[in-house]
C-alpha cells in the first residue's frame, strides 16, 4: 500500500485524520470516530510512507529524535497537516486532511454574527474549542471572507501553514514558524512593522505570544487567533492564568479594552452518523462583558450570554438545544459535549 492510496481512501470516505505507526495497523478518524484498519503493513512500508512526507532536512531532524509539524500540498491539490513523533522506539505520524476549498460561513453552519466579527477594523477575535473541533477551518473561512470582500494586508503566522490563500481583494503573506520566523511572539512583533491590517496567529500558546497578540490588537489591528478552551468564560480565565501574577491586573485591563468576540465550537456527530455538525457559543464583547473582565468576574459571563441574544450571543447549551430540537443531533451526543449537563437536561 502506498501513501497516495491511503490518503485517497481517506478523502473518498470523508475522513479527517490518518494515523500511521511503524509496526502496527493503520487507523483513520471518520466523523470523529477512530477506526483501526485491517491488515498491518510491513514496518518498512509504514516508515517509507512517513518519510515520503518529509524532505531531507526534516528526515534528519526526525532521526535525531525530534518531533515535527509539517504542512504539505499533495499532487491532487489536497492540503495536509502532519505531526511526526516517536513512540516505543518507532516512528508514528498523524495526518490531518484539510478541505481542498475553503468553505463559507454558511457551509460551515456558523451564525451570521461571525461575519460581523470578521468585518471589524480592530480588536481581538478568538476561535476556541477542543482539538479537532474545526478551529483552523473557521479561521480560514474568516480570512477567505476578508480576502474576497476587503482591501486589506493580512499576515498569518502559522505552525505549520495549513490553508493557502491566493491574493484577491486582500494581499496575504503567510509565515511559517520554524521556516519564515523563529516563533509566534517574534513574528508578531515583527508583523507590527510590516503594515498589516489583519494578523492571524495560529495559536496563543504561551504568555509571550498572548502578550504580543494583545499589544497588536491595542495598536489598531484586527488580531485573529485560537485557544483550546470550551467556553467564553474559560477563554478569558485561560489568558489571565497564563500571565505572571504581578501582570494579571494589567492584562485584565488590556483584554477588556481589546477583546471583541469569542467563538467557541464543537463538532458533533449527526443523527444517523453520516457526518458532523457544528455547535457554537458566541460572546460579543459589549460594555457589560468588558466590565466583568476588568473586574475579574469572568465567571459571570454565561449569564450575560443569555441576555445578549440581540447582539448575536448565545451559550453552548442554547445551541445544543436548537440542534436537538431540529433533529440534527441526539440528546445523548448533546450531553457528551456540554459543560453543564444538569442545566441542559432541565432546558431540554
Amino acid at each position: 500500500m502506498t501513501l497516495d492510496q491511503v490518503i485517497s481512501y481517506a478523502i473518498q470516505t470523508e475522513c479527517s485524520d490518518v494515523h500511521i505507526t511503524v509496526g502496527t495497523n493503520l487507523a483513520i478518524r471518520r466523523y470523529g470516530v477512530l477506526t483501526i484498519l485491517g491488515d498491518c503493513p510491513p514496518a518498512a512500508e509504514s516508515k517509507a510512507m512517513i518519510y515520503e512526507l518529509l524532505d531531507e532536512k526534516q528526515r534528519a531532524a526526525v532521526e535525531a529524535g525530534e518531533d515535527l509539524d509539517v504542512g504539505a500540498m499533495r499532487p491532487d491539490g489536497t492540503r495536509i497537516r502532519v505531526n511526526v513523533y516517536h513512540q516505543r522506539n518507532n516512528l508514528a505520524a498523524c495526518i490531518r486532511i484539510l478541505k481542498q476549498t475553503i468553505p463559507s460561513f454558511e457551509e460551515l453552519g456558523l451564525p451570521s454574527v461571525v461575519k460581523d466579527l470578521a468585518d471589524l477594523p480592530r480588536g481581538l477575535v478568538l476561535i476556541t474549542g477542543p482539538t479537532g473541533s474545526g478551529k483552523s477551518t473557521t479561521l480560514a473561512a474568516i480570512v477567505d471572507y476578508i480576502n474576497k470582500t476587503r482591501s486589506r494586508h493580512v499576515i498569518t503566522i502559522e505552525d505549520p501553514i495549513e490553508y493557502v490563500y491566493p491574493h484577491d481583494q486582500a494581499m496575504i503573506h503567510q509565515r511559517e514558524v520554524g521556516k519564515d520566523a523563529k516563533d509566534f511572539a517574534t513574528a508578531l512583533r515583527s508583523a507590527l512593522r510590516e503594515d498589516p491590517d489583519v494578523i492571524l496567529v495560529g495559536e496563543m500558546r504561551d504568555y509571550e505570544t498572548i502578550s504580543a497578540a494583545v499589544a497588536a490588537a491595542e495598536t489598531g489591528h484586527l488580531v485573529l487567533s485560537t485557544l483550546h478552551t470550551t467556553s467564553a468564560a474559560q477563554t478569558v480565565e485561560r489568558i489571565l492564568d497564563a500571565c505572571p501574577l504581578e501582570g494579571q491586573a494589567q492584562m485584565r485591563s488590556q483584554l477588556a479594552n481589546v477583546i471583541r468576540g469569542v467563538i467557541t465550537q464543537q463538532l458533533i456527530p449527526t443523527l444517523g452518523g453520516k457526518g458532523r455538525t457544528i455547535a457554537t457559543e458566541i460572546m460579543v464583547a459589549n460594555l457589560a462583558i468588558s466590565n466583568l473582565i476588568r473586574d475579574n468576574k469572568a465567571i459571570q459571563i454565561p449569564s450575560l450570554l443569555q441576555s445578549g441574544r440581540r447582539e448575536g450571543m448565545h451559550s453552548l447549551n442554547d445551541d445544543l438545544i436548537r440542534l436537538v430540537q431540529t433533529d440534527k443531533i441526539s440528546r445523548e451526543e448533546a450531553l457528551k459535549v456540554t459543560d453543564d449537563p444538569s442545566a441542559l437536561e432541565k432546558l431540554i
Side-chain angles (χ1 to χ4, degrees), residues 46-167:
S46 295
K47 188 173 182 180
M49 281 192 266
I50 294 173
Y51 270 38
E52 188 179 330
L53 298 162
L54 309 174
D55 60 28
E56 287 186 19
K57 184 178 177 182
Q58 290 164 342
R59 290 175 191 175
V62 165
E63 288 168 0
E66 294 182 29
D67 294 351
L68 287 180
D69 284 312
V70 179
M73 180 81 79
R74 303 296 299 163
D76 65 357
T78 303
R79 188 124 185 119
I80 58 174
R81 184 183 74 202
V82 184
N83 179 266
V84 181
Y85 57 101
H86 299 77
Q87 67 90 41
R88 294 175 59 190
N89 204 33
N90 268 326
L91 275 184
C94 174
I95 303 171
R96 170 63 54 84
I97 297 169
L98 305 172
K99 294 182 182 294
Q100 288 182 296
T101 57
I102 300 172
S104 66
F105 298 144
E106 293 76 19
E107 289 169 329
L108 290 175
L110 291 166
S112 58
V113 69
V114 176
K115 189 176 291 187
D116 298 333
L117 293 173
D119 282 328
L120 291 171
R122 64 189 66 84
L124 178 65
V125 175
L126 299 173
I127 318 298
T128 77
T131 301
S133 60
K135 298 185 296 296
S136 296
T137 304
T138 296
L139 264 184
I142 292 174
V143 172
D144 190 55
Y145 168 75
I146 292 170
N147 190 26
K148 290 175 177 175
T149 60
R150 294 157 64 192
S151 177
R152 294 288 185 269
H153 180 200
V154 181
I155 294 177
T156 77
I157 306 163
E158 303 171 74
D159 182 21
I161 289 172
E162 297 185 9
Y163 292 94
V164 175
Y165 310 92
H167 292 181

Side-chain angles (χ1 to χ4, degrees), residues 232-233 236 252 255-257 259-262 281-309 311-314:
V236 172
R252 276 198 300 273
L255 188 61
N257 288 335
I259 196 158
R260 294 293 178 267
V262 176
E281 176 171 290
I282 305 290
M283 184 195 85
V284 178
N286 56 21
L287 183 60
I289 284 177
S290 294
N291 285 336
L292 286 183
I293 295 171
R294 193 175 286 109
D295 296 339
N296 201 21
K297 296 178 181 177
I299 197 170
Q300 296 179 25
I301 286 175
S303 63
L304 290 185
L305 299 183
Q306 299 293 328
S307 59
R309 291 182 181 178
E311 297 167 86
M313 289 191 259
H314 61 254

